[in-house]
Amino acid sequence: MSSNDQGSVVITGLGATTPLGGDVASTWSAMLAGTSGVRPITESWADDLPVKIAAPAAADPVEIVGRVQARRMDRCEQLALVAAREAWADAGAPEVDPFRLGVAVTSGIGGIGSTLAAYDALNDKGWKRISPYTVPMLMPNGSAGWISMELGARAGAHAMVSACASGAETIGYGIDMIRSGRADVVVAGGTEAAIMALNIGAFAVMRAMSTRNDEPEKASRPWDKGRDGFVLGEGAGIVVLESEAHARARGARVYAVAAGAGYSADAHHISHPLPDGAGVKHAINSAIADAGISPEQIAHVNAHATSTPEGDLLEAAAIASALGEASSGVVLTSTKSMTGHLLGGSGAIETVAAVKALVDRTAPPTINLDDPDEAVTLEVATKARSLEPRGDAPMAVLNNSFGFGGHNVTLVFTEHTPA
């Protein structure tokens, strides 16, 4: 099939394992209810850290993957495989030529837990006691490899690593794989499992994390005046992307159209965004142009907003500027208020949430917004909100993801209208 025959790219499967639930249904239900997945860290390694809270995955991936296979995988890879299995089954396990089936799944930092475990084994017991699976366990592309092997995907197994924009950028790459004619079906998304002392200590010393240890459920509070940093979460989100022609030929159920993606780089600072938000605005405008929609079609934005003093306001201002007059009536949400920040998995989890919002025509809330920052001019949902089309064209939603290094990614999803 040539690229000219591909037409639209659609989403036919969803999978997730998050701090709110072990699958899409439980995660989405908890989001709509405004449930927080943040809780105290009970392990002793957190005793001396300034941050003693996190949002761990609600379900143990080992119980699903199986202990034998799990011993050869980092936790981030286990989480990715769990979500991929759900998404693949949800899509109906489509029959597809292996050389027309691709994988684009990544992690922002890879198997950091396996790296630290191997280093401890080296120092305590010597090199012979290092696991022979260490290298595949620490690779950021390990998840893509495991999923491609399980599904027999031979069109390519890719991992775009761009810090906290990784999951969204990899989904964008999956869209491009289908548009270019390289694949008919792509399993795409992101994963992260980084709740450990080194990472929390490193983010804490940057003063990037919330220290609201006495109120874990209230610690992640995007756009609230009392926000003091993000909360680290873990989990994975996966979508099955498919050419509309291929989906139609097999009679697949379609959730939404993966209509477009936009990218930019701030080229400003390794960990601070460009102050005027020009990079964010460019990514949003590029995504809208790539999707071929008008700003007036956008009913909802699942924002990157992590609950940091700097980033939340910059993003809100950039959205308002990019959408112009069409920003009035757009419902803004940060699901990180409930899941915490899943780093490389965040854009993928939030893609699942954005697609569910589009399908159910309901935006999930931003919780803990007790004292809204007056600088935010957009409408932020604090309870689940109904979404309505803004005109006759299909309704659209955006998902923003940004990462250290100046990475900006925006994805656009639109309602699917059968031909």
Side-chain angles (χ1 to χ4, degrees):
M1 181 179 291
S2 72
S3 60
N4 291 333
D5 297 325
Q6 297 297 80
S8 297
V9 178
V10 296
I11 295 175
T12 57
L14 301 174
T17 181
T18 76
L20 301 180
D23 56 18
V24 171
S26 57
T27 295
W28 182 239
S29 176
M31 281 184 177
L32 293 182
T35 305
S36 173
V38 183
R39 55 181 183 263
I41 299 172
T42 57
E43 288 85 355
S44 60
W45 53 257
D47 290 349
D48 295 330
L49 292 173
V51 175
K52 306 177 190 301
I53 55 176
D60 183 0
V62 175
E63 298 301 321
I64 303 169
V65 172
R67 296 190 178 279
V68 174
Q69 185 174 6
R71 282 198 293 269
R72 296 177 288 167
M73 305 174 74
D74 184 80
R75 183 173 173 85
C76 76
E77 297 170 345
Q78 297 167 14
L79 292 165
L81 188 58
V82 168
R85 285 177 177 175
E86 182 188 10
W88 190 248
D90 188 47
E95 293 185 9
V96 56
D97 178 347
F99 287 99
R100 303 294 301 165
L101 172 61
V103 174
V105 176
T106 191
S107 164
I109 57 176
I112 184 66
S114 297
T115 302
L116 295 174
Y119 188 69
D120 288 342
L122 173 66
N123 287 334
D124 297 342
K125 301 175 182 178
W127 70 270
K128 292 183 179 181
R129 299 300 298 274
I130 299 173
S131 168
Y133 295 102
T134 295
V135 173
M137 291 165 77
L138 61 84
M139 302 185 309
N141 62 308
S143 297
W146 280 109
I147 294 167
S148 68
M149 287 188 290
E150 175 149 324
L151 300 181
R154 296 184 174 183
H158 304 283
M160 313 298 288
V161 180
S162 49
C164 302
S166 299
E169 184 164 357
T170 302
I171 291 172
Y173 189 82
I175 294 170
D176 287 344
M177 286 181 71
I178 295 174
R179 284 179 170 178
S180 69
R182 285 184 54 204
D184 296 318
V185 181
V186 177
V187 177
T191 183
E192 207 76 86
I195 299 175
M196 52 201 69
L198 174 64
N199 301 312
I200 290 179
F203 281 122
V205 79
M206 296 176 71
R207 298 185 178 180
M209 301 192 77
S210 173
T211 56
R212 196 182 289 255
N213 297 316
D214 55 339
E215 295 181 302
E217 299 87 354
K218 298 181 179 180
S220 185
R221 42 197 318 112
W223 302 301
D224 187 85
K225 286 183 180 178
R227 65 191 185 279
D228 66 334
F230 74 87
V231 177
L232 186 59
E234 66 172 5
I238 301 288
V239 297
V240 176
L241 302 168
E242 193 165 352
S243 74
E244 185 173 29
H246 192 274
R248 184 168 59 246
R250 70 181 185 90
R253 180 234 15 244
V254 172
Y255 284 108
V257 178
Y263 313 91
S264 74
D266 284 345
H268 167 68
H269 190 278
I270 199 65
S271 58
H272 289 281
L274 195 62
D276 64 2
V280 173
K281 181 178 177 180
H282 182 81
I284 294 171
N285 286 335
S286 297
I288 291 171
D290 186 52
I293 66 167
S294 69
E296 287 75 21
Q297 290 176 244
I298 299 166
H300 170 55
V301 178
N302 190 311
H304 181 71
T306 62
S307 186
T308 57
E310 181 181 27
D312 289 11
L313 298 187
L314 185 151
E315 180 183 10
I319 294 170
S321 178
L323 300 186
E325 292 183 0
S327 65
S328 176
V330 171
V331 179
L332 192 63
T333 291
S334 173
T335 48
K336 288 185 181 73
S337 63
M338 296 173 279
T339 66
H341 189 1
L342 279 67
L343 307 182
S346 61
I349 292 294
E350 288 150 21
T351 287
V352 172
V355 171
K356 289 292 291 181
L358 188 62
V359 172
D360 292 356
R361 291 193 172 185
T362 304
T366 299
I367 66 171
N368 301 323
L369 187 56
D370 301 325
D371 189 10
D373 197 309
E374 293 92 347
V376 178
T377 60
L378 300 171
E379 183 178 1
V380 181
T382 55
K383 293 183 179 179
R385 288 277 305 277
S386 295
L387 298 175
E388 299 294 338
R390 304 174 68 190
D392 297 330
M395 184 164 64
V397 300
L398 304 186
N399 175 27
N400 284 339
S401 292
F402 317 129
F404 283 179
H407 306 280
N408 304 305
V409 180
T410 297
L411 301 175
V412 179
F413 307 99
T414 61
E415 288 185 314
H416 178 252
T417 302

